[in-house]
Amino acid sequence: MNPSSTDSADRDQAADGAASGLANFVVAANRLPVDRVTLPDDTVAWRTSPGGLVTALIPVMRAQQGAWVGWHGAPDETLEPFVEDGLQLVPVPLSTQELAEYYEGMSNATLWPLYHDGVAFPEFHREWWDSYVDVNQRFTKQIADIAAEGATVWVQDYQLQLVPSLLRALRPDLRIGFFNHIPFPPVELFNQLPWRDQILQGLLGADIVGFQTPAGAANFRQAVRLRLRYESKAGWIGLPDGRRALAKAYPISIDAAGFQALAQQPDVQQRAAEIRAELGNPRWIFLGIDRLDYTKGIKQRLRAFGELVAEGELDSDEVVFLQVATPSRERVEEYRLLRDEIDRLVGRINGDLGKIGVQPLTYLHSSYPREEMAAMYTAADIMVVTPLRDGMNLVAKEFIACRSNNDGALILSEFAGAAQELKQSYLINPYDINGMKARMLEAVNDSPKERTRRMRSMRKQVFTYDIDRWASDFLTDLGR
Ligand code: G6P
């Protein structure tokens, strides 16, 4: 770790300076997989963030001299590439203005709501788009600087959709993959985007454009067919320059074995028992864990639960709902509004239905380490995952990985990508509050044998198609 100015590095310099520093495998994502931490002696260090993506890619990166290109999380700061935990990390700087326009604006107030069915109103601003183009160009240059001849580059997610074609123009020798972690919308919605054709062309610079679900891949191919008139066959899109690009689903997953092992640690089991006790040892613990995001259907699920308690369908002496909402994108207006709405709703439900020392909802606006999450998954009985639209939803899979006793129930929105694989969950439509209430009751009233049957089948799925399988399926196709 040696932060200092790097703005002027150009490709030749990088090549001359450290031929051995060039990477045969490059991952590019909006964020680097590290967090900056301040140690007790006030020095600053980096810690690898424990996400599934980095866990899956570490072995590939180590084997192939990999590098990860991404923003390091603070504005107006330019850092030199550095090595952390054996990973070569290449920070991309963002100014305060780019943070507002490229990240909070175009990425999270235009593309994010538009790609999630327009569940919040997407805003379109030309300055945001200009900033998105600039930042995508900067990422492209950093990748081109670090990638060895013929290297494989894997670009991640909606913040970087222009990178594949920009990179191909600079470096036609590279193999380029792209994976979209969020939904790809139906063409009727996608068409609202003033820069729709640039986005499609941007993505088509990749050899493989990966999506979470077959429906996402089909939406993309349809947009390409209708807007650009490029035909596709068996997922392969024929391009005017003679190349072909494959648009296909690769549903992402988690490090299932790792999560299970974590949940089985004695300290985590102990903590799970503590959590149950702290919640008053109720008969049923319902659990929701989400980023505080309007796509997650948090209000809908709390309303459904509150009504069941108010109507006496669930006994307030027997049930508790633990809702964790991790702070997210707090400077974006829609997220601020949502926080206030949820604060109000939680206050109202507890105010109406609570008794002295007993509240049906425990609401935590905070983020927790993996150990605490594993303890919550273990402590819960009914996991409630009700997004209005979600690319995959890994929380649903993490809960399943932690249930080595094959008990517990998963209530899952049919609008989460995970519903394509977890067909034995209790599937719900989050817009249908009565339907959701009925499914919650069904999950509670089913026999333990029925819940076990469902859980067994879902565990088989999650342990077979884990994050390693996802990465190797994608990279094997890309290597062909
Ligand atoms: C989603 C996106 C990711 C993003 C994450 C956290 O999962 O698909 O690309 O990194 O949310 O959001 P943030 O804006 O904090 O990076």
Side-chain angles (χ1 to χ4, degrees), residues 30-31 103 108 112 156-159 181-182 291 328-329:
N30 178 55
R31 285 182 189 274
Y103 170 72
N108 290 318
W112 180 269
Q156 311 288 327
D157 229 355
Y158 62 102
Q159 302 94 341
H181 291 248
I182 69 172
R291 264 186 324 98
S328 182
R329 306 174 190 164

Side-chain angles (χ1 to χ4, degrees), residues 197-235:
D197 292 351
Q198 288 97 311
I199 293 279
L200 294 177
Q201 294 288 9
L203 292 170
L204 286 170
D207 297 296
I208 298 185
V209 190
F211 298 90
Q212 297 281 26
T213 61
N219 286 344
F220 174 71
R221 289 193 303 264
Q222 196 191 11
V224 166
R225 186 168 59 249
L226 294 177
R227 301 212 51 81
L228 307 178
R229 310 256 162 235
Y230 304 162
E231 294 300 327
S232 55
K233 202 169 169 197

Side-chain angles (χ1 to χ4, degrees), residues 287-306:
L287 175 66
I289 301 184
D290 310 82
R291 264 186 324 98
L292 182 52
D293 194 295
Y294 51 79
T295 59
K296 301 292 185 183
I298 301 174
K299 286 185 286 182
Q300 286 79 353
R301 93 179 58 139
L302 295 184
R303 206 169 287 140
F305 174 79

Side-chain angles (χ1 to χ4, degrees), residues 72-89:
H72 51 278
D76 300 320
E77 184 185 42
T78 303
L79 303 182
E80 277 291 344
F82 60 98
V83 174
E84 180 56 42
D85 200 11
L87 301 178
Q88 197 188 345
L89 302 175

